[in-house]
Amino acid sequence: MGNKPKSKSKSKADRKERRSAELDEISLLNEWIESQKPDSGSNPLALKPLPDNAPVGRLHDGSFSAYSAATKFSELPLSKKTMDALKKAGYVKMTEIQRASLPHALCGRDVLGAAKTGSGKTLAFVIPVVEKLHKERWGPEDGVGSIIISPTRELAGQLFDVLKTVGKFHNFSAGLLIGGRKDVEMEKERVNELNILVCTPGRLLQHMDETPNFECSQLQILVLDEADRILDVGFKKSLNAIVSQLPKHRQTMLFSATQTKSVQDLARLSLKDPEYISVHEKAESATPSRLQQTAMTVPLDQKLDMLWSFVKAHLNSKILVFLSTCKQVVKFVYEAFKKLRPGIPLKCLHGRMKQERRINIYSQFCEQRSVLFCTDVAARGLDFNKAVDWVVQADCPDDVASYIHRVGRTARYLSGGRSVLFLTPSEMKMIDKLKAAKVPIQVIKPNMKRLQPVSGLLSSLLVKHSELQELAAKAFIRYMRCIHIQKDKDVFEVKELPIDKFAASMGLPLTPNIRFVKKLKGKQLSVGESSVLELETSGGEPPAEIKRQKAETNKLREENLDLPAELLSLNDSEDEDVEKDLLLSKQTENEGIEKSAEFGDAVLPTRISKKKKKLKINIHRPVGTRVVFDEQGNTLPPLARVAGANNDDDLSLLDKDKRNEYYKKMREELMKVDKVDKVLDRQRRRDKRIKEKVKRKRGLGDEEEGSDEDLSGSGADEGTNGRKPKRSKIYFNSDSDDDGETRGKKESAIDDSISLAEQEALALKLLDAMHQ
Ligand SMILES: Nc1ncnc2c1ncn2[C@@H]1O[C@H](COP(=O)(O)OP(=O)(O)OP(=O)(O)O)[C@@H](O)[C@H]1O
């Protein structure tokens, strides 16, 4: 925008002449538009197209051509500047949605437009925006004349690019206002000079709230792209707040491939006799006709195998993989597959990434053959430059609308594309819903002979990379929570899922504990769990509305960060829930309470690594025994040997039976160590109590020691004299991030008594056996 025509002369006379020509053009356009207005409620697509080479504009007899019947941009009452820009970009013929909506939009009517994905809706609203301000002779001093709102930042960026293309020869100023950009202060200084804003709801609201003198009282035209999403419950508060600051007298346009029909929603926007334009309503399918859509049943515990096999079989394609809407799942699959090196570049995109990275990844994927793992952040509106060959929905979409938008990333405009949907047996009801919504999807049987199992490799990877282990546990917990909070219980039901098998398929040695799953199963809670549970239930169950809002906000946050602060804090509590589950899993694992029934693996404690890790030296380790350290200097669990196998012995551990046998042995040994730990701990406490009593008798107790309660209760990890206790020098796993209770168990009292040292030697022996 702002590029000036080459012939521009600086002289006053020229400027005057140009202004007068522009005014003439505008008055001609207004006359033309007014005289040939399509009837309200009429469908321009039903009109007979203008004959080729028919005169356009003012005709010999002083009347005007019928632009409602236009099929080419050149037949519309558009300014020369817009027309030149469209021509330059290669746009000649209009798509159906453009033909149907532009005649109504150009004469200032409110429009509710629905058309299939990739059918050209963007031009259908960008052209009227530019034309409206041009005809009003809008200038910098007039302030904000138009606002285009998009639900995601990437889409806003893309809309901004289209606006720049169409407005190339106009003189408006336009700005892209999205979250995640550092230059918000600079933005605040300049936002009042902008004529057209392309923005996400959160960022717009931020300016409305914080930017001095920012106002939109002169707004002429408001556009909501992906309108049904923006009108959805997640954006409700933001949108209401935005709309309350806009003048009622304006033109409003809503576009989406899945349009809202809710009268309530429309009332919120105070639409005036809107034109309902749904060009594909009567079409046989709700999705592009050049899109081949398939679905297959994939048990949850084979999903990763299937996805891996798919990627390996399509190394020359550009593939978009949608996973459950949570960054943990996307991150885990991306990180794990990356380590397994499939032979094609892999990328991942989710709403919690830094904006700069998001933009880089988005543009790299536009240019390069690769696999992009993403959340629904990429589900709507994005038009990847070079065609996407495959859309894989590895996790079931929330609903039919979500499915339609996801598959719509391929088969855009005139190109073809293919999609595949993985459904677990309990999610197969989604097929009926899709078919009822006119989605022509074919259920096919996967070729199991070509399945390349990956779970074994994953468990080895997890042993080798402790950070991946935690990521896997988080992904598992988050996935389950996502399913749990889904609205459609016909399709999403946690109870139907093979939870343990699924955890094993991710390479997890044990199934992480999730509080709500336990509640669903009606299990008795163990002592270790109660403290965590109290946190959740002490204030009673959160009201259904809060839960729903939390779920919705979580989804939005995965898509973009431009949300008001109160919603973000709700979402943080969702993150905390995952951390709590992780903590609970760790506690129970360490206490040996839960054992994986089907997967005879050793108990590998999952860690929450927040604190900086320190290198720990085991001074008690007998000389000559091998200890494996990771990059951070933690001693790795003995199973790390399996993944880092570099001799025949070690390799033999990759054999499934042998590995299971090895795991079993490890578990037995661990249980023994655990018992010894408990004995040591009891002994230590007893010794302390005795010491205390003796001291108290001598009258020293009050000054030097903590209270009785501290020593006998949970304060097992509280040392004497108010100091932190010394830590054991032997670590089965890093202890720097262990929780207090576990740590308490692992702490020894080597400096306390000789008898304890002896007992510890026994523990050392057992631990040592594992390091060999
Ligand atoms: N009249 C046209 N002639 C040629 N190409 C067009 C025309 N209109 C749009 N396109 C191209 O079609 C592609 C899809 O357009 P657009 O992104 O506007 O689709 P959409 O309907 O908004 O899709 P979605 O529902 O996914 O947001 C773009 O690459 C765009 O450049």
Side-chain angles (χ1 to χ4, degrees), residues 129-350:
V129 162
V130 170
E131 283 297 290
K132 175 94 177 176
L133 298 194
H134 173 72
K135 282 181 283 173
E136 296 291 334
R137 296 189 54 73
W138 211 259
E141 64 288 351
D142 296 313
V144 179
S146 176
I147 296 177
I148 301 175
I149 304 181
S150 140
T152 67
R153 298 173 188 172
E154 281 76 10
L155 180 55
Q158 190 181 291
L159 300 180
F160 191 65
D161 288 343
V162 177
L163 177 67
K164 281 194 291 186
T165 305
V166 177
K168 192 175 176 62
F169 302 120
H170 286 277
N171 299 318
F172 312 121
S173 53
L176 175 65
L177 310 182
I178 54 174
R181 288 154 67 116
K182 292 187 193 114
D183 49 2
V184 65
E185 289 311 317
M186 203 170 82
E187 212 175 84
K188 282 179 186 173
E189 279 168 27
R190 302 185 57 190
V191 72
N192 284 328
E193 292 156 22
L194 298 176
N195 300 141
I196 303 175
L197 310 180
V198 181
C199 49
T200 47
R203 189 58 152 224
L204 176 61
L205 202 53
Q206 187 182 356
H207 281 295
M208 285 179 157
D209 290 345
E210 297 173 8
T211 306
N213 306 324
F214 177 73
E215 57 142 321
C216 307
S217 59
Q218 299 305 310
L219 189 83
Q220 301 291 305
I221 191 164
L222 170 72
V223 178
L224 306 191
D225 192 17
E226 307 298 342
D228 55 331
R229 186 81 191 107
I230 296 174
L231 288 163
D232 221 355
V233 59
F235 284 116
K236 193 172 180 174
K237 272 190 187 168
S238 312
L239 191 70
N240 287 350
I242 290 169
V243 171
S244 71
Q245 300 187 46
L246 303 179
K248 281 219 161 72
H249 184 75
R250 58 161 198 264
Q251 184 180 5
T252 307
M253 293 196 282
L254 315 183
F255 280 86
S256 182
T258 48
Q259 195 54 282
T260 180
K261 291 195 174 73
S262 154
V263 178
Q264 253 184 348
D265 284 342
L266 304 180
R268 278 161 65 204
L269 291 168
S270 1
L271 296 189
K272 291 173 297 297
D273 304 324
E275 296 295 329
Y276 293 88
I277 297 161
S278 183
V279 292
H280 299 121
E281 204 170 32
K282 295 207 171 75
E284 270 175 27
S285 79
T287 45
S289 52
R290 296 160 310 279
L291 174 64
Q292 271 179 47
Q293 302 169 71
T294 47
M296 53 174 84
T297 316
V298 182
L300 188 57
D301 51 306
Q302 282 182 7
K303 246 190 204 178
L304 289 174
D305 297 342
M306 187 61 79
L307 185 57
W308 174 256
S309 311
F310 184 91
V311 170
K312 291 289 286 177
H314 297 89
L315 295 179
N316 286 317
S317 305
K318 191 189 256 196
I319 306 169
L320 193 57
V321 179
F322 285 100
L323 290 152
S324 172
T325 283
C326 50
K327 70 155 191 228
Q328 285 91 344
V329 176
V330 171
K331 257 176 99 176
F332 168 68
V333 177
Y334 164 70
E335 293 292 346
F337 278 24
K338 201 170 67 171
K339 288 195 165 59
L340 296 174
R341 297 171 183 271
I344 179 170
L346 305 181
K347 305 182 188 317
C348 82
L349 187 73
H350 55 77

Side-chain angles (χ1 to χ4, degrees), residues 95 116-120 287-293 318 382-391 407-419:
T95 64
K116 292 181 188 183
T117 52
S119 60
T287 45
S289 52
R290 296 160 310 279
L291 174 64
Q292 271 179 47
Q293 302 169 71
K318 191 189 256 196
L382 295 189
D383 188 55
F384 297 102
N385 215 0
K386 296 214 175 77
V388 172
D389 301 299
W390 278 96
V391 169
V407 291
R409 295 320 98 211
T410 183
R412 297 182 70 73
Y413 189 50
L414 299 178
S415 57
R418 287 191 278 181
S419 72

Side-chain angles (χ1 to χ4, degrees), residues 286-513:
T287 45
S289 52
R290 296 160 310 279
L291 174 64
Q292 271 179 47
Q293 302 169 71
T294 47
M296 53 174 84
T297 316
V298 182
L300 188 57
D301 51 306
Q302 282 182 7
K303 246 190 204 178
L304 289 174
D305 297 342
M306 187 61 79
L307 185 57
W308 174 256
S309 311
F310 184 91
V311 170
K312 291 289 286 177
H314 297 89
L315 295 179
N316 286 317
S317 305
K318 191 189 256 196
I319 306 169
L320 193 57
V321 179
F322 285 100
L323 290 152
S324 172
T325 283
C326 50
K327 70 155 191 228
Q328 285 91 344
V329 176
V330 171
K331 257 176 99 176
F332 168 68
V333 177
Y334 164 70
E335 293 292 346
F337 278 24
K338 201 170 67 171
K339 288 195 165 59
L340 296 174
R341 297 171 183 271
I344 179 170
L346 305 181
K347 305 182 188 317
C348 82
L349 187 73
H350 55 77
R352 307 276 194 105
M353 290 166 113
K354 288 244 162 67
Q355 188 54 27
E356 235 168 81
R357 252 187 94 203
R358 274 168 69 166
I359 291 170
N360 279 344
I361 286 164
Y362 169 67
S363 29
Q364 280 168 18
F365 185 67
C366 281
E367 297 306 323
Q368 200 186 20
R369 165 194 64 88
S370 50
V371 181
L372 178 65
F373 298 102
C374 58
T375 60
D376 278 338
V377 70
R380 281 178 178 255
L382 295 189
D383 188 55
F384 297 102
N385 215 0
K386 296 214 175 77
V388 172
D389 301 299
W390 278 96
V391 169
V392 179
Q393 303 195 46
D395 286 325
C396 185
D398 295 350
D399 47 32
V400 172
S402 183
Y403 173 92
I404 289 175
H405 287 282
R406 283 174 168 193
V407 291
R409 295 320 98 211
T410 183
R412 297 182 70 73
Y413 189 50
L414 299 178
S415 57
R418 287 191 278 181
S419 72
V420 61
L421 168 66
F422 296 172
L423 293 172
T424 65
S426 59
E427 289 165 352
M428 285 307 280
K429 284 172 206 119
M430 186 54 128
I431 295 291
D432 300 334
K433 297 187 183 226
L434 291 172
K435 286 190 169 160
K438 297 202 291 187
V439 173
I441 189 165
Q442 196 194 351
V443 180
I444 56 167
K445 270 199 169 158
N447 182 353
M448 299 308 275
K449 279 187 204 143
R450 294 181 64 188
L451 195 71
Q452 297 185 35
V454 80
S455 319
L457 295 170
L458 286 177
S459 48
S460 304
L461 268 187
L462 257 58
V463 170
K464 190 174 178 187
H465 303 278
S466 56
E467 76 287 353
L468 204 58
Q469 197 182 111
E470 183 171 327
L471 202 55
K474 276 189 179 174
F476 174 87
I477 294 170
R478 199 55 179 258
Y479 178 84
M480 288 299 164
R481 295 188 79 90
C482 279
I483 300 290
H484 182 52
I485 57 185
Q486 285 284 0
K487 271 184 260 174
D488 189 348
K489 289 299 165 204
D490 287 349
V491 177
F492 301 99
E493 191 47 85
V494 171
K495 277 187 270 183
E496 301 288 327
L497 301 176
I499 293 177
D500 293 330
K501 280 186 182 173
F502 177 46
S505 77
M506 293 173 81
L508 282 165
L510 274 185
T511 307
N513 275 306

Side-chain angles (χ1 to χ4, degrees), residues 667-678:
R667 163 175 290 175
E668 284 163 4
E669 281 172 348
L670 258 175
M671 303 260 297
K672 280 186 215 160
V673 174
D674 209 30
K675 271 186 196 160
V676 174
D677 266 357
K678 280 178 181 156

